[in-house]
Amino acid sequence: MTARRRPLAALVLLAAAGLTAGCAGQGGSPGAPSAAQSAAASSSASPAASETLTVFAAASLTGTFTALADRFEAAHPGVRVTLNFAGSADLVTQITEGAPADVFAAADTRSMDRLAAAGLVAGKPVVFATNTLEIAVPPGNPAGIATFADLARPGVAVVACAPQVPCGAAAAKIEAATGITLAPVSEENAVTDVLGKVSTGEADAGLVYITDVTAAGGAVRGIPFPESDRAVNRYPIAVVAGSAQAKLGASFARFVTDPGGRKILSAAGFGTP
Amino acid sequence: MALPESSGRPQTRGSAPAGPVTLGVPRWILAIAALGAIFIVLPVVGMTARVDWAHFGSLVTSPSAVAALLLSLRTAAASTVLCLVLGVPMALMLARSRFPGQRLVRAVVLLPLVLPPVVGGIALLSTFGRRGLLGQAFEVLGVQIAFSTAAVVLAQTFVALPFLVLSVEATLRASGARYEAVAATLGATPSVVFWRVTLPLVLPGLVSGAVLAFARALGEFGATLTFAGSLEGVTRTLPLEIYLQRETDPDAAVALALVLVAVAVVVMVATHRPRAPS
């Protein structure tokens, strides 16, 4: 019911605003503009509110981009940022299938390359953050994991991402660089699935991103390991080609990379490129 | 509008048409039914149109695809057997006996039908997982269910069991207990009645229930992903393989999806024929 009435209310407001604007232009009654202003302010449906920026972002950016979007909206009155979070590969599929995205922020350069190959990236993507792997263990660390090599010990149930997804590709890179081969009991599609298996205690350890450990709070314990710098995931952001909000999109991308954006990202555990 | 020509007119009058006969079904019902059929068939057609036929063979015969298909067939068969063993007695209890709380029990038994599979996976994890209700006991026995093929079978059985129970229960209710009563008065023990009378009586329902359970097990995804994990040859069934391939190779995902559809259709058509062929 409310959903039905809202567009109507917006229409009425818009009509009122247009009417009073016309009056003001003709030098009409001085009381009218202020009435329109107050109406607009109270409902936040000012004429500029029709500007909506749709941002497709990797699932690992959920917390940070929600905060960034709030700040961007505050800095740009009348702009609404709509966020869509999913796995980077899923998002690429959605955009190539015609989903309306203005900005795309991926968790790896490979996904951005795929979108670029489809001719859907405007300009050059900018890397705005980095992320590295960390070992996650259940609270109490039942298997006594301390190093990356510990993960290869027999009897340790390790869960990682499948090599087809970015977090798994990163793990494979570290394995190749260190010569330590893991035998995971499960290769998951998403980092959240790895995290779930660790936090429930099903697995003794999992390989996830630092930011996932931060976001999980006390559900898991993070164990950093020096070999993680062999596989640094780079997060690129770009405006989607053909976007009707290209200018606004570009300013959102800049907003993410400016010092204010950096602060939010590093608080979540992201590194600086 | 179509009432006068189609309401209850006996079709046997005159020379009966050789083709299929639709007895007294109003035309508007037919139109809506056709719409419903199109709604189901069209997406499958759409998916088929996406198939990269030039590489179809190599896509579906890759080692990971074959491993996934074989694992799916093996686990779905095992779950179906488990469903039969557990489900037939459950259906009998629900259809042929009275006990307090029967309606509640029935509702609970059918719960997996309405539960999102992910919820089923979480429930199984909290029961059979390492830190679950029974997990510790299993650990003592040296059995670890998590991340094993057994976990896949458990997940599939959990979601497929209600299909078998419902189907067999409905057949039991429809067939009535007359023959069983007669057999009992003739001196047959309850077990003999079960094997010689009840089971043959409900065979059609048993077969269609088993086929439904097999198909449901074959398509199981959410509970498996949550409870069993995903490892090639061990827990990564065909639906999980499709989901994974979608990340990097959408063509392979579509090709495998078609294989899954084909297997399901073949199984349904080959076995879901309870009436004698005429």
Side-chain angles (χ1 to χ4, degrees), chain B residues 9-32:
Chain B
R9 184 199 283 180
Q11 299 274 344
T12 42
R13 200 200 301 170
S15 57
V21 189
T22 322
L23 200 70
V25 175
R27 284 202 183 148
W28 59 270
I29 293 259
L30 186 77
I32 297 175

Tab-separated table of all heavy atoms in Angstrom, chain B residues 9-32:
chain	number	residue	atom	x	y	z
B	9	ARG	N	-20.025	-34.162	-22.172
B	9	ARG	CA	-20.536	-34.939	-23.294
B	9	ARG	C	-19.758	-36.254	-23.396
B	9	ARG	O	-18.534	-36.245	-23.410
B	9	ARG	CB	-20.373	-34.153	-24.590
B	9	ARG	CG	-20.972	-34.880	-25.780
B	9	ARG	CD	-20.430	-34.348	-27.071
B	9	ARG	NE	-21.065	-33.074	-27.407
B	9	ARG	CZ	-20.738	-32.409	-28.518
B	9	ARG	NH1	-19.786	-32.852	-29.313
B	9	ARG	NH2	-21.320	-31.277	-28.775
B	10	PRO	N	-20.475	-37.370	-23.447
B	10	PRO	CA	-19.745	-38.635	-23.496
B	10	PRO	C	-18.946	-38.767	-24.797
B	10	PRO	O	-19.465	-38.524	-25.879
B	10	PRO	CB	-20.858	-39.693	-23.429
B	10	PRO	CG	-22.133	-38.982	-23.651
B	10	PRO	CD	-21.926	-37.524	-23.472
B	11	GLN	N	-17.707	-39.141	-24.667
B	11	GLN	CA	-16.810	-39.172	-25.818
B	11	GLN	C	-16.933	-40.478	-26.598
B	11	GLN	O	-16.328	-40.620	-27.652
B	11	GLN	CB	-15.364	-39.000	-25.349
B	11	GLN	CG	-15.115	-37.680	-24.655
B	11	GLN	CD	-14.795	-36.567	-25.621
B	11	GLN	OE1	-14.475	-36.830	-26.768
B	11	GLN	NE2	-14.871	-35.331	-25.193
B	12	THR	N	-17.700	-41.415	-26.023
B	12	THR	CA	-17.750	-42.723	-26.673
B	12	THR	C	-18.731	-42.744	-27.837
B	12	THR	O	-18.740	-43.662	-28.635
B	12	THR	CB	-18.186	-43.790	-25.660
B	12	THR	OG1	-19.233	-43.268	-24.875
B	12	THR	CG2	-17.031	-44.196	-24.775
B	13	ARG	N	-19.587	-41.701	-27.917
B	13	ARG	CA	-20.607	-41.695	-28.947
B	13	ARG	C	-19.982	-41.616	-30.351
B	13	ARG	O	-19.017	-40.902	-30.565
B	13	ARG	CB	-21.548	-40.507	-28.752
B	13	ARG	CG	-22.877	-40.716	-29.458
B	13	ARG	CD	-23.578	-39.412	-29.672
B	13	ARG	NE	-23.836	-38.721	-28.387
B	13	ARG	CZ	-24.261	-37.466	-28.354
B	13	ARG	NH1	-24.456	-36.786	-29.460
B	13	ARG	NH2	-24.483	-36.897	-27.212
B	14	GLY	N	-20.556	-42.354	-31.285
B	14	GLY	CA	-20.059	-42.338	-32.648
B	14	GLY	C	-18.695	-42.987	-32.742
B	14	GLY	O	-18.289	-43.746	-31.871
B	15	SER	N	-17.993	-42.666	-33.809
B	15	SER	CA	-16.659	-43.240	-33.961
B	15	SER	C	-15.689	-42.460	-33.092
B	15	SER	O	-15.518	-41.266	-33.254
B	15	SER	CB	-16.221	-43.176	-35.424
B	15	SER	OG	-16.266	-41.837	-35.866
B	16	ALA	N	-15.087	-43.153	-32.146
B	16	ALA	CA	-14.164	-42.498	-31.223
B	16	ALA	C	-12.911	-42.049	-31.960
B	16	ALA	O	-12.414	-42.779	-32.815
B	16	ALA	CB	-13.782	-43.461	-30.102
B	17	PRO	N	-12.438	-40.839	-31.655
B	17	PRO	CA	-11.219	-40.374	-32.306
B	17	PRO	C	-10.036	-41.255	-31.922
B	17	PRO	O	-9.955	-41.750	-30.795
B	17	PRO	CB	-11.042	-38.948	-31.779
B	17	PRO	CG	-11.871	-38.874	-30.532
B	17	PRO	CD	-12.970	-39.860	-30.704
B	18	ALA	N	-9.138	-41.421	-32.876
B	18	ALA	CA	-7.991	-42.294	-32.626
B	18	ALA	C	-6.977	-41.633	-31.698
B	18	ALA	O	-6.247	-42.295	-30.990
B	18	ALA	CB	-7.321	-42.666	-33.938
B	19	GLY	N	-6.947	-40.313	-31.728
B	19	GLY	CA	-5.938	-39.578	-30.965
B	19	GLY	C	-6.270	-39.545	-29.483
B	19	GLY	O	-7.178	-40.227	-29.026
B	20	PRO	N	-5.536	-38.731	-28.712
B	20	PRO	CA	-5.800	-38.624	-27.280
B	20	PRO	C	-7.162	-37.986	-27.028
B	20	PRO	O	-7.606	-37.125	-27.781
B	20	PRO	CB	-4.664	-37.724	-26.781
B	20	PRO	CG	-4.145	-37.027	-27.990
B	20	PRO	CD	-4.390	-37.934	-29.142
B	21	VAL	N	-7.813	-38.441	-25.992
B	21	VAL	CA	-9.144	-37.946	-25.669
B	21	VAL	C	-9.075	-37.108	-24.405
B	21	VAL	O	-8.484	-37.506	-23.412
B	21	VAL	CB	-10.101	-39.135	-25.426
B	21	VAL	CG1	-11.525	-38.634	-25.298
B	21	VAL	CG2	-9.986	-40.154	-26.539
B	22	THR	N	-9.656	-35.912	-24.460
B	22	THR	CA	-9.729	-35.085	-23.269
B	22	THR	C	-11.166	-35.089	-22.810
B	22	THR	O	-12.027	-34.463	-23.417
B	22	THR	CB	-9.269	-33.655	-23.574
B	22	THR	OG1	-8.185	-33.723	-24.469
B	22	THR	CG2	-8.863	-32.939	-22.312
B	23	LEU	N	-11.425	-35.827	-21.762
B	23	LEU	CA	-12.805	-36.047	-21.340
B	23	LEU	C	-13.321	-34.860	-20.542
B	23	LEU	O	-12.903	-34.626	-19.417
B	23	LEU	CB	-12.857	-37.328	-20.501
B	23	LEU	CG	-14.248	-37.957	-20.394
B	23	LEU	CD1	-14.674	-38.535	-21.731
B	23	LEU	CD2	-14.252	-39.025	-19.316
B	24	GLY	N	-14.230	-34.119	-21.158
B	24	GLY	CA	-14.946	-33.090	-20.431
B	24	GLY	C	-14.106	-32.017	-19.785
B	24	GLY	O	-14.492	-31.478	-18.760
B	25	VAL	N	-12.968	-31.700	-20.362
B	25	VAL	CA	-12.167	-30.610	-19.809
B	25	VAL	C	-12.479	-29.339	-20.594
B	25	VAL	O	-12.336	-29.317	-21.809
B	25	VAL	CB	-10.661	-30.927	-19.882
B	25	VAL	CG1	-9.840	-29.734	-19.415
B	25	VAL	CG2	-10.346	-32.153	-19.050
B	26	PRO	N	-12.948	-28.296	-19.914
B	26	PRO	CA	-13.249	-27.060	-20.629
B	26	PRO	C	-12.028	-26.527	-21.366
B	26	PRO	O	-10.903	-26.715	-20.915
B	26	PRO	CB	-13.665	-26.093	-19.504
B	26	PRO	CG	-13.922	-26.935	-18.320
B	26	PRO	CD	-13.155	-28.193	-18.477
B	27	ARG	N	-12.281	-25.843	-22.476
B	27	ARG	CA	-11.163	-25.379	-23.295
B	27	ARG	C	-10.301	-24.357	-22.574
B	27	ARG	O	-9.101	-24.302	-22.770
B	27	ARG	CB	-11.710	-24.762	-24.585
B	27	ARG	CG	-12.152	-25.841	-25.535
B	27	ARG	CD	-12.179	-25.357	-26.945
B	27	ARG	NE	-12.679	-26.430	-27.789
B	27	ARG	CZ	-13.386	-26.222	-28.880
B	27	ARG	NH1	-13.632	-24.993	-29.264
B	27	ARG	NH2	-13.797	-27.229	-29.593
B	28	TRP	N	-10.959	-23.527	-21.717
B	28	TRP	CA	-10.158	-22.498	-21.037
B	28	TRP	C	-9.169	-23.135	-20.071
B	28	TRP	O	-8.092	-22.613	-19.848
B	28	TRP	CB	-11.059	-21.480	-20.347
B	28	TRP	CG	-11.995	-22.041	-19.299
B	28	TRP	CD1	-13.249	-22.504	-19.504
B	28	TRP	CD2	-11.721	-22.205	-17.908
B	28	TRP	NE1	-13.780	-22.953	-18.326
B	28	TRP	CE2	-12.874	-22.768	-17.327
B	28	TRP	CE3	-10.627	-21.910	-17.102
B	28	TRP	CZ2	-12.951	-23.069	-15.976
B	28	TRP	CZ3	-10.705	-22.198	-15.746
B	28	TRP	CH2	-11.853	-22.780	-15.191
B	29	ILE	N	-9.533	-24.297	-19.525
B	29	ILE	CA	-8.590	-25.022	-18.655
B	29	ILE	C	-7.386	-25.454	-19.475
B	29	ILE	O	-6.235	-25.326	-19.050
B	29	ILE	CB	-9.271	-26.258	-18.035
B	29	ILE	CG1	-10.359	-25.843	-17.070
B	29	ILE	CG2	-8.241	-27.180	-17.383
B	29	ILE	CD1	-10.008	-25.903	-15.622
B	30	LEU	N	-7.691	-25.942	-20.680
B	30	LEU	CA	-6.630	-26.398	-21.580
B	30	LEU	C	-5.672	-25.246	-21.874
B	30	LEU	O	-4.447	-25.397	-21.855
B	30	LEU	CB	-7.252	-26.923	-22.872
B	30	LEU	CG	-6.272	-27.570	-23.841
B	30	LEU	CD1	-5.910	-28.959	-23.361
B	30	LEU	CD2	-6.856	-27.617	-25.246
B	31	ALA	N	-6.243	-24.060	-22.122
B	31	ALA	CA	-5.409	-22.897	-22.455
B	31	ALA	C	-4.482	-22.545	-21.287
B	31	ALA	O	-3.279	-22.320	-21.478
B	31	ALA	CB	-6.303	-21.705	-22.803
B	32	ILE	N	-5.042	-22.541	-20.073
B	32	ILE	CA	-4.217	-22.193	-18.915
B	32	ILE	C	-3.160	-23.264	-18.671
B	32	ILE	O	-2.001	-22.968	-18.370
B	32	ILE	CB	-5.104	-21.996	-17.661
B	32	ILE	CG1	-6.056	-20.817	-17.892
B	32	ILE	CG2	-4.240	-21.750	-16.428
B	32	ILE	CD1	-7.057	-20.611	-16.791
